Amino acid sequence: MQGIFQQLTPYLEKAMALTTALTLIEWDMETTAPEEAADATSSIIGLLSDEYFKTIMNDEVKQLLHKIVETEEYKQLTEVEQAIVTQLQKQYDEFEPVPQSEYKAYSELTAKSSGIWAKAKENNDFNEFAETLKEIIYYRKKFATYRQKKGQPLYEVLLHDFEPSFTMEQIDSFFALIKKELVPLIRQITSKNVVIDRSFNHRSYDIDLQREFCIWLSGYVGFDFERGVISEAEHPFTTNLHNRDVRYTNHYEENNLFNAIFSAIHETGHCIYEMNIDDEITQTIVGSGTSMAMHESQSRFYENMIGKSKEFWEGIYEKLQQQFKPVLNDITLEQFYLAINQSEPSLIRTEADELTYPLHILIRYEIEKKIITEDIDVYELPTIWNDLYEEYLGIRPQTDAEGILQDVHWSMGEFGYFPSYALGSAIASQLYHFMKQTIPFEQCLKTGEFEEMEQMLKEHIHKYGMVRNTNRMLKDMTGETFNASYYIEYLKEKYRKIYDL
Amino acid sequence: MQGIFQQLTPYLEKAMALTTALTLIEWDMETTAPEEAADATSSIIGLLSDEYFKTIMNDEVKQLLHKIVETEEYKQLTEVEQAIVTQLQKQYDEFEPVPQSEYKAYSELTAKSSGIWAKAKENNDFNEFAETLKEIIYYRKKFATYRQKKGQPLYEVLLHDFEPSFTMEQIDSFFALIKKELVPLIRQITSKNVVIDRSFNHRSYDIDLQREFCIWLSGYVGFDFERGVISEAEHPFTTNLHNRDVRYTNHYEENNLFNAIFSAIHETGHCIYEMNIDDEITQTIVGSGTSMAMHESQSRFYENMIGKSKEFWEGIYEKLQQQFKPVLNDITLEQFYLAINQSEPSLIRTEADELTYPLHILIRYEIEKKIITEDIDVYELPTIWNDLYEEYLGIRPQTDAEGILQDVHWSMGEFGYFPSYALGSAIASQLYHFMKQTIPFEQCLKTGEFEEMEQMLKEHIHKYGMVRNTNRMLKDMTGETFNASYYIEYLKEKYRKIYDL
């Protein structure tokens, strides 16, 4: 007799095929499609997304799920099958309680909201976006209420969409630690007035040479070109069809070398994660990175622990100089290392250095909590934003575009997402701490031998996809669940050395 | 009350979305996807294709179709709606009579047959492919029988898949004319022993410069970059998602300039056709070129009537010389013109010149007729093939790879397809004849003003997609249905001049 789980297979397979098609269409729109294609192709995306929902959310699947969860069947499933059921159940929990009329109104809203945000940002005027944001907040809160468990903070419902294995209490303590430890450190650095020259980053670097170097660099740290593709788009991003088709984009600017180099290493970290997902799960709904933070931890690990270390550049700085000869002839390795790690409070999150970055996230975290748990007036947000920047980073945005309007996330209804960025860096630090005790880490950086690191990440994290959660994998690998102190320790040690504190 | 036709809309829309996704996935596999992606992505293609068939071929759609065709409803439909019904009905006529077990066996066969053919070609051994070909022939004939009308030649059933508006009798007379008129002309040229030097085509032409020139050239003849994309693949081909997303690939080799240039113009002809499909029909099942021959007529018109004319190069030959300076400095416009039009019997169809090309098709036509209407032993095919080459072109293939194994078509079950290539050239000649009488054609070639030609093609042919058939559009545009004499006239006039006969 066929098990109940097996009866889900045709639905899951069809859903997976549709997801893959949608992923490819979106990749193509960002990298290849001609300008005028957008409208007609969007209608295709709409039709395929509808079909995806119908495939997963219907009475047959619902009944099968119910049978599996409510009977002995669940216990007899393999770990992978259980994870698939959990993941499917999560989609039901998220969408089922929302009345269709509300979901429709919300979809119509978010179909245009990013456009309104982009226009407002262009015009540097938050007021143009305020009413739209108010509506988005209204729906996000309302939808979260449907799923809220008794006694659960409403914001935690949203956090769990991205980090299901963290409680809000844990995240609160995480950001409290960041505030307590990093705000003073940053002040200390700022007040010391050390000048690190990074102006050479804005010299002229031929774009073809940048492309060539960055593609080489990706391969150097472990990008597998038989399973992956590197292309170009307005912004760097990673996407994957399955573990043998993983792609990232970069963006090259003549007068900014660091952007392209560190995007290349960062996105390669994301790609390596997806390339190492196990064959057994790659074409299932659990065949992708386990959480936003875990994904970001991999990209940050490659970007920062590997790519911004001195040892890494000891091995390849000459190659870099050679590539752009003679542009970097007068810059020593030491100068280069300091420049890529210079820390300075700035207004734009995506351009922030490793040390000030988590403060940008702290600010968003505090504001999101206010938005979700208090009935805050959206028109007050710009001032709250600016005040927090002044308080934590000592600088004050002068315009909405460089302040409250800088990120796209809220316009897409993504509340609860930002914390993952900081959690990712913290997880990366914990992995780093563990690896340094396990393998000759610095030696590997110098010689470019990254296989052992990757193998550890693959065996403990990558291959499981979403079958195991972040904390479980951290525990299995490092012996303890998430511990933010390694992050603080890492940043303190690194930046005290750089700024001679 | 909603008409019956409108009830088809959700099925048609979903089918269209799936087709678009499949088209994009296939484009991506040829241009972008990493090497190891093929297997997993093929499983996606399989799932989406299945879903496409289920969407179009099911009891609800069948009943709706039946109601429309059998009632007064059909007459009340618009021309576009009628075309959609006809097109849908055609799919039913093709697939419905085939027993599922046979269709499955055939699908399994063709899933591997191209691979077997490729291997046989690589090993230069027809015997490796013979049994597979035999099976393919068995099924193609069997399936055709299911659709054969009383008294209809079996081969015509297959021809109609590609050219529904031609009878086999017409195509027979067409090839009879080619044989009668062109075989002696080619012999006359061959025996004259005129030497045209085209060796300069194999000098070294920088690939980046070729790419730049070919992209420019596409735009020069009318490629709209806001609606289209040019990429690279192993072989040149055109594909389209809709009229605002039309794409072609080219292939650049350092030692072959002509290949890239004429592929660029040829594929641009295909693209312009698809870009000009009417907005009303672009995202429907009749929103593409009306037949293989008509499509090929457009690409050949651009490639030959425009791109291989002397006037065209009068306008831009200096630019070409400039682009590859100094490689073409010693080649005059006249030498260049003669070289791109040199005619010489050769073994490989895809490399044949304009004059000998239709003989390659004639040979395949005669063989296909034998295959489909006679119980020919496949093991006799190589000899039949070689004998015909000797008879019509005066040269004999020495190996299977340069003979019977050169084309992929049969390995994909495509019988009845080849004639379209020759019909396409003939239609292009008929359009050319008409245009020369209507607009200052040669002047336009010299000055690069192709808008008027394109406008004529758009208004009479392109915009209708599959709503009107080839012969109807030819009649409406030129005042007569297909007439092969213009093709003969065109080739005779052109080649008599070139070879001074």
Side-chain angles (χ1 to χ4, degrees):
Chain A
M1 200 199 78
Q2 200 190 28
I4 308 171
F5 180 83
Q6 277 65 43
Q7 293 174 45
L8 284 173
T9 307
Y11 301 98
L12 292 170
E13 281 187 348
K14 186 175 151 191
M16 180 269 300
L18 291 164
T19 306
T20 308
L22 283 162
T23 304
L24 184 65
I25 294 172
E26 278 154 18
W27 158 271
D28 184 85
M29 280 182 95
E30 299 293 332
T31 59
T32 310
E35 208 177 302
E36 288 198 18
D39 281 351
T41 305
S42 295
S43 74
I44 305 290
I45 292 177
L47 287 159
L48 295 175
S49 304
D50 269 6
E51 194 55 31
Y52 170 81
F53 273 95
K54 280 185 207 155
T55 304
I56 287 290
M57 312 286 288
N58 57 57
D59 289 344
E60 294 85 34
V61 173
K62 192 176 158 180
Q63 279 170 27
L64 289 170
L65 254 188
H66 188 77
K67 270 192 211 166
I68 293 169
V69 177
E70 303 292 309
T71 64
E72 287 294 298
E73 173 94 7
Y74 184 79
K75 288 182 201 152
Q76 289 162 27
L77 298 181
T78 65
E79 189 185 7
V80 167
E81 290 168 342
Q82 286 185 347
I84 290 172
V85 168
T86 305
Q87 199 51 34
L88 196 53
Q89 186 63 49
K90 222 179 128 181
Q91 296 205 25
Y92 272 81
D93 294 343
E94 185 175 349
F95 292 105
E96 225 193 359
V98 180
Q100 239 182 331
S101 63
E102 286 180 13
Y103 190 74
K104 192 165 173 272
Y106 177 69
S107 300
E108 281 166 16
L109 176 65
T110 49
K112 54 182 186 176
S113 54
S114 293
I116 296 171
W117 162 79
K119 200 86 192 283
K121 184 176 174 183
E122 205 184 306
N123 296 337
N124 206 352
D125 183 4
F126 177 74
N127 290 331
E128 286 184 21
F129 179 54
E131 288 302 316
T132 305
L133 180 59
K134 202 170 171 176
E135 274 191 89
I136 293 172
I137 293 169
Y138 166 81
Y139 282 111
R140 289 312 295 167
K141 286 172 74 166
K142 191 155 196 199
F143 293 176
T145 316
Y146 295 135
R147 295 187 279 152
Q148 193 175 19
K149 296 196 185 86
K150 218 182 149 177
Q152 186 185 28
L154 194 61
Y155 186 42
E156 193 184 75
V157 178
L158 299 173
L159 286 168
H160 277 186
D161 286 343
F162 306 101
E163 300 310 326
S165 69
F166 287 87
T167 64
M168 183 148 159
E169 217 184 317
Q170 288 174 302
I171 296 180
D172 272 339
S173 350
F174 171 59
F175 281 109
L177 189 68
I178 284 178
K179 191 163 151 182
K180 182 176 149 248
E181 298 281 352
L182 300 186
V183 172
L185 179 61
I186 291 167
R187 275 205 200 118
Q188 212 184 342
I189 289 174
T190 311
S191 64
K192 225 192 149 189
N193 274 323
V194 174
V195 178
I196 291 177
D197 179 25
R198 70 197 306 268
S199 64
F200 67 84
N201 181 43
H202 305 298
R203 293 176 181 172
S204 167
Y205 299 92
D206 179 83
I207 284 189
D208 288 335
L209 292 179
Q210 284 195 50
R211 185 184 297 110
E212 187 183 61
F213 185 80
C214 287
I215 290 173
W216 171 82
L217 190 60
S218 277
Y220 180 67
V221 298
F223 189 92
D224 180 349
F225 291 96
E226 301 203 334
R227 291 176 171 229
V229 163
I230 300 171
S231 186
E232 283 162 55
E234 193 56 33
H235 301 285
F237 70 94
T238 291
T239 194
N240 62 305
L241 305 191
H242 43 70
N243 67 358
R244 285 178 168 74
D245 193 337
V246 182
R247 305 165 178 214
Y248 85 79
T249 62
N250 205 338
H251 185 78
Y252 307 102
E253 291 166 274
E254 194 192 328
N255 297 304
N256 197 326
L257 177 63
F258 296 171
N259 269 6
I261 284 181
F262 293 102
S263 290
I265 310 181
H266 179 98
E267 302 304 331
T268 298
H270 282 305
C271 289
I272 287 172
Y273 193 170
E274 295 295 340
M275 285 169 174
N276 284 330
I277 298 278
D278 208 76
D279 279 345
E280 188 195 350
I281 57 169
T282 181
Q283 288 190 301
T284 72
I285 54 170
V286 298
S288 207
T290 195
S291 79
M292 286 304 311
M294 191 54 110
H295 233 303
E296 204 61 20
S297 78
Q298 303 306 295
S299 55
R300 297 285 165 106
F301 181 82
Y302 276 84
E303 180 187 355
N304 296 331
M305 282 73 191
I306 294 179
K308 287 191 177 153
S309 70
K310 199 185 282 176
E311 293 81 7
F312 180 73
W313 289 102
E314 275 178 34
I316 61 169
Y317 186 61
E318 268 182 36
K319 185 179 164 72
L320 181 76
Q321 284 182 313
Q322 204 59 37
Q323 177 79 1
F324 295 103
K325 213 172 175 181
V327 188
L328 288 170
N329 283 12
D330 60 327
I331 307 298
T332 65
L333 168 64
E334 180 66 20
Q335 285 173 304
F336 181 78
Y337 171 70
L338 291 175
I340 62 176
N341 284 293
Q342 186 222 34
S343 175
E344 189 173 39
S346 62
L347 294 170
I348 306 297
R349 177 183 61 85
T350 56
E351 293 167 9
D353 57 81
E354 214 182 334
L355 178 61
T356 58
Y357 189 87
L359 279 302
H360 291 265
I361 302 302
L362 168 65
I363 291 166
R364 284 154 182 77
Y365 182 65
E366 294 193 352
I367 295 177
E368 286 195 349
K369 272 174 60 173
K370 274 189 215 293
I371 287 174
I372 302 300
T373 56
E374 299 168 24
D375 263 336
I376 203 160
D377 179 1
V378 292
Y379 290 94
E380 287 176 28
L381 290 175
T383 307
I384 296 175
W385 179 288
N386 295 346
D387 288 349
L388 285 170
Y389 265 81
E390 197 156 359
E391 186 182 344
Y392 297 150
L393 285 163
I395 48 173
R396 190 174 184 90
Q398 297 304 308
T399 69
D400 294 339
E402 63 181 21
I404 183 97
L405 285 177
Q406 70 182 266
D407 298 307
V408 70
H409 303 60
W410 293 344
S411 78
M412 296 159 75
E414 284 177 347
F415 292 89
Y417 186 143
F418 283 118
S420 298
Y421 288 126
L423 287 167
S425 299
I427 293 171
S429 306
Q430 186 170 343
L431 298 173
Y432 172 68
H433 176 87
F434 172 73
M435 281 203 197
K436 283 212 300 181
Q437 297 180 320
T438 320
I439 58 169
F441 197 84
E442 290 173 1
Q443 189 53 33
C444 294
L445 291 179
K446 280 184 202 172
T447 53
E449 291 165 80
F450 307 109
E451 296 80 7
E452 213 174 337
M453 297 179 200
E454 185 181 328
Q455 211 49 37
M456 287 172 75
L457 296 170
K458 177 178 176 180
E459 286 311 312
H460 292 100
I461 299 170
H462 298 174
K463 70 174 187 183
Y464 292 109
M466 302 166 90
V467 173
R468 298 187 176 170
N469 76 34
T470 301
N471 263 317
R472 158 84 190 274
M473 291 194 280
L474 278 177
K475 181 93 199 294
D476 288 350
M477 180 169 174
T478 70
E480 56 182 329
T481 54
F482 179 68
N483 181 345
S485 63
Y486 298 114
Y487 185 32
I488 304 300
E489 179 188 298
Y490 161 77
L491 289 174
K492 276 189 173 171
E493 195 190 323
K494 177 167 181 174
Y495 280 94
R496 278 180 180 156
K497 238 183 235 162
I498 290 173
Y499 284 94
D500 199 19
L501 299 179
Chain B
M1 202 198 75
Q2 203 190 27
I4 308 171
F5 180 83
Q6 278 64 42
Q7 294 174 44
L8 285 173
T9 306
Y11 301 98
L12 293 170
E13 281 187 347
K14 187 176 149 189
M16 179 269 301
L18 290 164
T19 306
T20 309
L22 284 161
T23 305
L24 185 65
I25 293 172
E26 279 155 16
W27 159 270
D28 183 84
M29 282 182 94
E30 299 293 332
T31 59
T32 310
E35 207 177 303
E36 289 198 16
D39 282 351
T41 304
S42 295
S43 74
I44 305 288
I45 292 177
L47 287 160
L48 295 176
S49 302
D50 270 6
E51 193 55 31
Y52 170 82
F53 272 96
K54 282 186 205 154
T55 305
I56 286 290
M57 312 286 287
N58 57 56
D59 288 345
E60 294 86 36
V61 173
K62 190 176 161 181
Q63 278 170 27
L64 288 170
L65 253 187
H66 188 78
K67 269 193 212 166
I68 293 169
V69 178
E70 303 293 310
T71 64
E72 287 294 299
E73 174 93 7
Y74 183 81
K75 287 183 200 153
Q76 288 162 26
L77 297 180
T78 65
E79 189 184 9
V80 168
E81 290 167 343
Q82 287 185 348
I84 289 172
V85 168
T86 305
Q87 199 52 32
L88 197 52
Q89 186 63 50
K90 222 179 129 181
Q91 296 206 23
Y92 271 82
D93 295 343
E94 185 175 349
F95 293 104
E96 226 194 355
V98 180
Q100 239 181 332
S101 62
E102 287 180 12
Y103 190 73
K104 192 164 171 275
Y106 177 68
S107 298
E108 280 165 16
L109 177 65
T110 50
K112 54 183 186 174
S113 54
S114 294
I116 297 171
W117 162 78
K119 200 85 192 286
K121 185 176 173 184
E122 204 184 307
N123 295 337
N124 206 353
D125 182 5
F126 177 74
N127 290 332
E128 288 184 20
F129 178 55
E131 289 302 316
T132 306
L133 180 60
K134 200 170 172 178
E135 274 192 88
I136 294 172
I137 292 168
Y138 166 80
Y139 283 112
R140 288 313 297 167
K141 285 173 75 166
K142 189 154 198 202
F143 294 175
T145 318
Y146 295 134
R147 296 186 278 153
Q148 192 175 19
K149 295 197 186 82
K150 217 181 151 180
Q152 187 186 28
L154 195 60
Y155 186 44
E156 192 183 77
V157 178
L158 298 173
L159 286 168
H160 276 186
D161 287 342
F162 306 101
E163 300 309 328
S165 69
F166 287 87
T167 63
M168 183 146 159
E169 215 183 319
Q170 287 174 303
I171 297 179
D172 272 339
S173 351
F174 171 59
F175 282 109
L177 190 67
I178 284 177
K179 191 163 152 179
K180 180 174 152 249
E181 299 281 351
L182 300 187
V183 172
L185 178 60
I186 291 167
R187 276 205 198 118
Q188 211 183 344
I189 289 175
T190 310
S191 64
K192 224 192 150 190
N193 274 323
V194 174
V195 177
I196 291 178
D197 178 25
R198 68 197 307 266
S199 63
F200 67 85
N201 181 43
H202 305 299
R203 294 175 181 173
S204 167
Y205 299 91
D206 180 82
I207 285 189
D208 288 336
L209 293 179
Q210 284 195 49
R211 185 183 298 112
E212 186 182 62
F213 185 80
C214 286
I215 291 174
W216 170 82
L217 190 61
S218 276
Y220 180 67
V221 298
F223 189 91
D224 179 349
F225 291 93
E226 302 205 331
R227 292 179 170 226
V229 164
I230 300 170
S231 187
E232 283 162 56
E234 194 56 35
H235 300 285
F237 70 94
T238 291
T239 193
N240 62 305
L241 305 191
H242 43 73
N243 66 359
R244 284 177 168 75
D245 193 338
V246 182
R247 305 166 178 213
Y248 86 78
T249 62
N250 206 339
H251 185 78
Y252 307 102
E253 292 165 274
E254 194 191 330
N255 297 304
N256 197 325
L257 178 63
F258 296 171
N259 268 7
I261 284 182
F262 293 103
S263 290
I265 310 181
H266 180 97
E267 301 303 332
T268 298
H270 282 306
C271 288
I272 287 171
Y273 192 167
E274 294 295 340
M275 285 169 175
N276 284 330
I277 298 276
D278 208 76
D279 280 344
E280 189 194 348
I281 57 169
T282 181
Q283 289 190 301
T284 73
I285 53 171
V286 297
S288 208
T290 195
S291 79
M292 285 305 310
M294 190 55 109
H295 233 305
E296 204 61 19
S297 77
Q298 302 306 295
S299 54
R300 299 285 165 108
F301 181 82
Y302 276 85
E303 179 186 356
N304 296 332
M305 283 70 191
I306 292 178
K308 288 191 176 154
S309 70
K310 198 185 283 178
E311 294 80 7
F312 179 73
W313 289 102
E314 277 178 32
I316 61 168
Y317 185 62
E318 268 182 37
K319 184 178 165 70
L320 181 76
Q321 284 182 312
Q322 203 60 37
Q323 178 78 0
F324 295 100
K325 211 170 176 183
V327 188
L328 288 169
N329 282 12
D330 60 325
I331 306 298
T332 64
L333 169 64
E334 181 66 22
Q335 286 173 301
F336 181 79
Y337 171 72
L338 291 175
I340 62 176
N341 285 294
Q342 186 221 35
S343 177
E344 188 172 40
S346 62
L347 295 170
I348 307 296
R349 175 183 61 86
T350 56
E351 294 166 9
D353 58 80
E354 213 180 334
L355 177 61
T356 57
Y357 189 88
L359 279 301
H360 292 263
I361 303 302
L362 167 66
I363 291 166
R364 285 152 181 79
Y365 182 68
E366 295 192 353
I367 295 177
E368 285 195 349
K369 272 173 60 173
K370 274 188 214 294
I371 287 174
I372 302 300
T373 56
E374 299 167 26
D375 265 334
I376 202 161
D377 179 359
V378 291
Y379 291 93
E380 288 177 28
L381 290 175
T383 309
I384 296 176
W385 180 286
N386 296 345
D387 289 348
L388 285 170
Y389 265 82
E390 196 154 0
E391 184 181 348
Y392 297 152
L393 285 164
I395 48 176
R396 191 174 183 90
Q398 296 306 307
T399 70
D400 293 340
E402 63 180 23
I404 184 98
L405 285 178
Q406 68 181 265
D407 298 306
V408 70
H409 304 61
W410 292 343
S411 79
M412 298 160 74
E414 284 176 348
F415 293 88
Y417 186 144
F418 284 118
S420 298
Y421 290 124
L423 287 167
S425 299
I427 293 171
S429 306
Q430 187 169 342
L431 298 173
Y432 171 70
H433 176 88
F434 173 72
M435 279 203 198
K436 285 212 299 181
Q437 295 179 323
T438 320
I439 58 169
F441 197 84
E442 291 174 359
Q443 188 54 31
C444 293
L445 291 179
K446 281 185 201 170
T447 54
E449 292 165 79
F450 307 109
E451 296 80 5
E452 213 173 337
M453 297 178 198
E454 183 181 329
Q455 210 48 37
M456 286 172 77
L457 296 170
K458 176 179 178 179
E459 286 310 312
H460 292 99
I461 299 170
H462 299 174
K463 71 173 187 181
Y464 291 110
M466 301 166 90
V467 173
R468 297 188 177 172
N469 75 34
T470 302
N471 263 316
R472 159 82 190 275
M473 291 194 280
L474 278 178
K475 179 93 198 292
D476 288 350
M477 181 168 173
T478 71
E480 56 182 328
T481 54
F482 179 71
N483 182 345
S485 63
Y486 298 114
Y487 185 32
I488 305 300
E489 178 189 298
Y490 161 77
L491 288 174
K492 278 189 170 171
E493 196 190 321
K494 178 168 181 172
Y495 282 93
R496 278 180 179 156
K497 239 183 234 163
I498 290 172
Y499 285 93
D500 198 19
L501 303 177

